Amino acid sequence: MADSSRPPLSTVAASRLSGWLGHLGVSPMAFDDTLSLIDPLLAIHHLRARVVSKVSETPSASTVVLQAGAAFHGLLPGQYVMIGVTIAGVRHRRAYSPRAMAGHPGRFAITVQRQPEGFVSKFINESLQVGTVIDIEQAAGEFTLPLPLPTQVLLVAGGSGITPSMSMLEHLHAKARHTRVTLVYFARSAHERIFGQALQQLAANWPQFQYVPIDSVANTPSDGGGRPAPQAQAPVQLLDIELLNRIMPNWAEVPAYCCGPAPLMDAARALWHAASASANLHLEAFAPPKPSGDPNEHHSVRLLRDHSAQHFDAAGNQTLLVAGEEAGLSIQHGCRQGICHECTCRLNSGSVRDIATGERIDGQGQPIRLCVSSAMSDLELEALN
C-alpha cells in the first residue's frame, strides 16, 4: 500500500456529496449506511475492512489480511490501526501494527498473538472468519522511521512485538536496501517465533540485514496461550550491554526501535538512559502494562461525566478503567493500551501512577488515560470524551 494521505478522487467526490447532503439534513452516518447497502467498504466516515485471508503463524498467533475501502489513507511502517469487532453483541476495539501488502491498494495484514486474558485476541485467532467485515480507523502513531531514511537502524523485538519491526523491515528492504539493519528478536523458542522462516530468508538474501534470533523466556513469561514458561533449563538471555556491544558496538548512536513485553521495554529504557542515548530510543508496547500497587489498598474515585457524578473504588493493583468497569460503569475506551486516548479524563485532585511511564501525576487538571493509570489516593476525575 502506498504511504499516501491523499484520498482517491472518488472518495473526495463522495465526501463533497456527503457535505452537500448534510445541509439537507442527511447525517454522515446515514450517508455511510446508504453506501454500505452496495458495499460496506464504500463508507467514507465509518471505515470498514473485509477479512480476505487468515493463516496461522505459530500455535498461538495468526495473520489476518484485511482489505480496506478507498477512504483508507494508507500507513507508514510502524504505525498502528484500531480495529473493532463485535463479540456476543458487544463492540470491542484494539490497536494492532499492520503491514502493507505490496501491489494491493488498501490491503494490509495484522498478526495477533493470543494472550492469556485477551478476549479480542482469542476471538481473532479462534473465531474470526474470512469474509467478515470489521470496523477500522485510519493508521496513526509515531513509532515510525525518520525521513530521510537512516543509513543504520537497530530493531529490538520480543514475542508479538515483532509486528511493527517486520513492517519496517519490509519497507527498508523494498525502498532502502543500502540501510544496515540489525534485528534482535527474543522469543520463547524457535517454534514460537513469529515470521521465523521469513526472517531467515530475508537475512539470507539481504547482505545489509543482521538477524539475531534469541531463544529466551526472560522477557516472555507466557506464550500467549495461558501456558507458563518452562522452568527447567529454560534459556534466560537478557537484553544487556554485553549483548548490544557484541552485535552492534555503536548501538547507542543509531536510531533504535523496541517493541515487546514490559521487561524487555524496561531493560531497553534503562540501557539507553545509562548511555545518555534515550533520544535515540523509540518504544512501543504491544500489551498494556499492569499496575504493581497493593491490592489491599483501596481509594475512592469520583468521576464527573455529563454533569453527573459516579463513584467507585480502585485497588492499587488495578487500572482506573478496570476498577470502573468492575463497579458496573460503562466507560468510553478503545485500545486499553494507552494509545488511542479515548478514556482520557481530567485529574482535578488526587494522585495517580502512569504505569506506562512510571510517572506520578498529582491532580491539577492534567489529562490522564484511565487504562494506564492506577490510583495512589482518593481521586476527583472529569471525563473528557
Side-chain angles (χ1 to χ4, degrees):
M1 187 191 320
D3 299 336
S4 171
S5 61
R6 178 179 296 176
L9 183 60
S10 59
T11 302
V12 174
S15 296
R16 290 176 177 172
L17 177 59
S18 176
W20 180 74
L21 290 174
H23 294 295
L24 301 178
V26 179
S27 70
M29 188 63 68
F31 184 80
D32 273 358
D33 287 344
T34 302
L35 292 177
S36 294
L37 294 175
I38 305 170
D39 185 345
L41 304 194
L42 293 177
I44 62 172
H45 302 290
H46 184 177
L47 303 185
R48 297 180 176 90
R50 182 176 287 111
V51 178
V52 296
S53 69
K54 179 181 175 183
V55 298
S56 295
E57 298 286 351
T58 72
S60 61
S62 299
T63 290
V64 177
V65 177
L66 298 167
Q67 178 64 56
F72 184 67
H73 295 169
L75 58 94
L76 297 174
Q79 286 188 309
Y80 66 85
V81 168
M82 294 291 299
I83 73 163
V85 294
T86 301
I87 307 172
V90 180
R91 184 169 177 264
H92 302 265
R93 298 168 67 244
R94 296 291 187 272
Y96 293 107
S97 297
R99 296 179 291 118
M101 308 299 289
H104 298 276
R107 186 169 294 187
F108 60 90
I110 60 171
T111 299
V112 181
Q113 184 167 36
R114 185 171 56 248
Q115 302 298 323
E117 301 176 0
F119 191 60
V120 174
S121 67
K122 180 180 179 181
F123 172 83
I124 291 174
N125 274 274
E126 299 179 2
S127 303
L128 186 64
Q129 301 295 317
V130 171
T132 302
V133 174
I134 66 174
D135 298 330
I136 65 169
E137 297 178 16
Q138 300 290 1
E142 300 179 356
F143 190 72
T144 57
L145 295 167
L147 291 175
L149 291 172
T151 58
Q152 196 169 6
V153 175
L154 172 61
L155 306 175
V156 180
S160 59
I162 187 61
T163 52
S165 292
M166 194 64 178
S167 181
M168 293 179 181
L169 279 170
E170 291 177 343
H171 179 75
L172 290 169
H173 183 250
K175 304 293 184 180
R177 292 195 186 188
H178 62 278
T179 299
R180 296 169 57 195
V181 186
T182 295
L183 168 65
V184 183
Y185 182 15
F186 292 87
R188 288 164 47 90
S189 68
H191 182 62
E192 299 173 56
R193 184 167 287 110
I194 300 171
F195 308 133
Q197 184 175 357
L199 288 167
Q200 293 284 7
Q201 293 175 347
L202 192 61
N205 297 320
W206 186 10
Q208 297 294 86
F209 176 42
Q210 178 185 201
Y211 175 41
V212 186
I214 297 176
D215 294 344
S216 176
V217 300
N219 299 314
T220 51
S222 171
D223 64 359
R227 297 182 294 274
Q231 298 300 315
Q233 299 182 356
V236 290
Q237 170 69 56
L238 297 170
L239 178 69
D240 56 29
I241 195 167
E242 289 78 15
L243 174 65
L244 291 170
N245 286 338
R246 184 172 73 251
I247 64 174
M248 193 177 195
N250 65 333
W251 58 271
E253 303 169 9
V254 304
Y257 296 82
C258 178
C259 182
L264 179 65
M265 306 272 282
D266 292 342
R269 190 179 290 109
L271 287 166
W272 266 259
H273 176 75
S276 300
S278 296
N280 290 334
L281 177 65
H282 308 270
L283 298 168
E284 182 90 333
F286 73 76
K290 295 183 178 180
S292 57
D294 185 351
N296 297 314
E297 184 176 352
H298 290 255
H299 302 288
S300 175
V301 181
R302 180 178 183 269
L303 173 61
L304 182 64
R305 181 174 58 183
D306 297 330
H307 306 292
S308 176
Q310 298 174 307
H311 300 265
F312 61 94
D313 286 342
N317 66 337
Q318 292 179 307
T319 65
L320 294 173
L321 176 60
V322 168
E325 289 177 331
E326 290 190 356
L329 275 64
S330 177
I331 299 176
Q332 182 168 332
H333 67 278
C335 67
R336 307 182 75 92
Q337 298 172 239
I339 295 175
C340 72
H341 296 268
E342 288 206 11
C343 62
T344 299
C345 290
R346 181 176 289 113
L347 178 62
N348 290 327
S349 69
S351 299
V352 302
R353 178 78 66 192
D354 186 319
I355 58 177
T357 65
E359 177 187 7
R360 175 187 172 123
I361 303 175
D362 298 314
Q364 296 180 342
Q366 304 97 317
I368 63 168
R369 299 162 295 172
L370 299 188
C371 65
V372 291
S373 297
S374 60
M376 301 179 68
S377 71
D378 293 346
L379 304 174
E380 293 276 346
L381 305 174
E382 180 182 350
L384 296 179
N385 292 319

